[in-house]
Amino acid sequence: INVPPPTRIAIGTVTVNTTVSLGTGTITFGAFTGTLDFAANDNNVTCASVSGTGTGTRTLSMGDGTWTMTAATGTPWNFLTTTNLTLNANGSTLLLSATATNARTISTGGTTLNNVTVTNATRDGFSIRFDTACTVAGNLTLTNVGQVRMDAGLTVSGTMTYDGTAANPAIILSVATAMTLTVANATILNYLVLQGITKAGAGSIT
């Protein structure tokens, strides 16, 4: 009797085929073993925050959709611990969209994102913090962000847009020792204050 070999099934692979909208909910998968695949259908995702920090052998493929984080405080994008993590940013955009008067943190754990956009209704009292090294492979766009605080290096491979005004300038500062801002393309930033920042990369900052 000839018995065919068993079919191998990928255990722990979740392929998303619809728009995801969780309101104030959070996607947490730091202990997950397997793959979260949003790239097969390039879905948009809206939730308060995403936490992938942990040690599970996990893969996140973000696809080409927009990931909208609505949390107005805390760490809407939390990948502080990236042990056993594979993150494929694909053509995605990470959007922090809440109207906030508090600091918010983007914690990448050294992973690479594609486009990153942070918007706010007003600059007053609002800052964004990169607490780990971050590479933005696409464009970094910051609108009405009072301060950008860096605990580690920040690399922008695409276009960086971050303007202030004469009365309320844009500020990029290091939290502790001098940090490196690497830009690949020539960048013009209006009303910008730098504190404790070393510039690197082929692109100029004017």
Side-chain angles (χ1 to χ4, degrees), residues 162-206:
Y162 180 34
D163 291 336
T165 65
N168 202 344
I171 300 172
I172 303 177
L173 56 87
S174 62
V175 174
T177 59
M179 299 300 169
T180 300
L181 173 62
T182 303
V183 292
N185 298 292
T187 302
I188 298 175
L189 303 175
N190 295 307
Y191 297 106
L192 175 69
V193 174
L194 296 173
Q195 176 181 312
I197 299 297
T198 299
K199 184 266 171 192
S204 61
I205 295 180
T206 302

Side-chain angles (χ1 to χ4, degrees), residues 10 38 41 70-71 116 128 136 164 173 204:
F38 292 83
N41 299 290
T70 61
V116 176
I128 194 73
V136 179
L173 56 87
S204 61

Side-chain angles (χ1 to χ4, degrees), residues 11 13 25 33-34 54 56-57 63 70 113 120-121 131 155 158 171 185 191 195 197 204:
I11 303 299
T13 297
T33 297
T57 304
T70 61
L113 298 171
N120 205 53
D131 70 344
T155 298
I171 300 172
N185 298 292
Y191 297 106
Q195 176 181 312
I197 299 297
S204 61

Side-chain angles (χ1 to χ4, degrees), residues 81-129:
T81 301
T82 57
T83 304
N84 299 320
L85 170 70
T86 300
L87 193 151
N88 302 313
N90 305 117
S92 63
T93 295
L94 175 62
L95 169 62
L96 274 63
S97 65
T99 298
T101 56
N102 304 294
R104 283 180 289 175
T105 298
I106 296 174
S107 184
T108 69
T111 58
T112 297
L113 298 171
N114 187 46
N115 298 316
V116 176
T117 300
V118 182
T119 64
N120 205 53
T122 177
R123 305 178 74 89
D124 295 338
F126 171 68
S127 66
I128 194 73
R129 181 174 183 173

